[in-house]
Amino acid sequence: MKADLPLLPGMPTDDGTEPVFREPWEAHAFALAVSLHQRGLFTWPEWAETLALQIGAAQARGDADLGDTYYRHWLAALEALVRSEERRVGKECRSR
């Protein structure tokens, strides 16, 4: 894994150094998050904060946090960040 993208708390790993995926869509969600970060859509601290908020909200709704829903939280966090960026870009376009 790249040094500038540290493992996040709760991330499923094989040996504590590399992420592990149960299904192909989980790897795709991971790759999408890394790609959007590298393209500047969000910083890694913004990503970590958004992911933590999604996990906290899921736990408040009763998610048992057994690790099997971890990447579902990634998808929810990605959706939240993309919606936020869409709103920001929309405001910029309207102000021109």
Side-chain angles (χ1 to χ4, degrees):
M1 226 171 133
K2 292 183 63 144
D4 61 339
L5 300 177
L7 291 174
L8 297 170
M11 180 181 283
T13 63
D14 57 356
D15 62 0
T17 61
E18 294 293 326
V20 65
F21 310 102
R22 297 171 197 248
E23 297 182 35
W25 73 264
E26 294 176 341
H28 290 213
F30 179 86
L32 183 57
V34 171
S35 177
L36 291 174
H37 160 70
Q38 290 173 336
R39 292 171 189 249
L41 183 69
F42 49 82
T43 66
W44 206 246
E46 289 170 327
W47 166 254
E49 179 183 356
T50 304
L51 179 59
L53 289 170
Q54 292 297 327
I55 291 171
Q59 288 172 340
R61 292 188 306 269
D63 185 326
D65 195 20
L66 301 175
D68 57 337
T69 58
Y70 185 75
Y71 287 104
R72 292 186 193 281
H73 306 315
W74 275 62
L75 289 177
L78 282 171
E79 291 171 356
L81 287 166
V82 168
R83 279 192 307 271
S84 175
E85 181 66 7
E86 286 175 340
R87 285 190 297 272
R88 186 190 65 76
V89 169
K91 287 179 184 176
E92 284 181 7
C93 289
R94 286 190 296 275
S95 68
R96 290 183 184 174

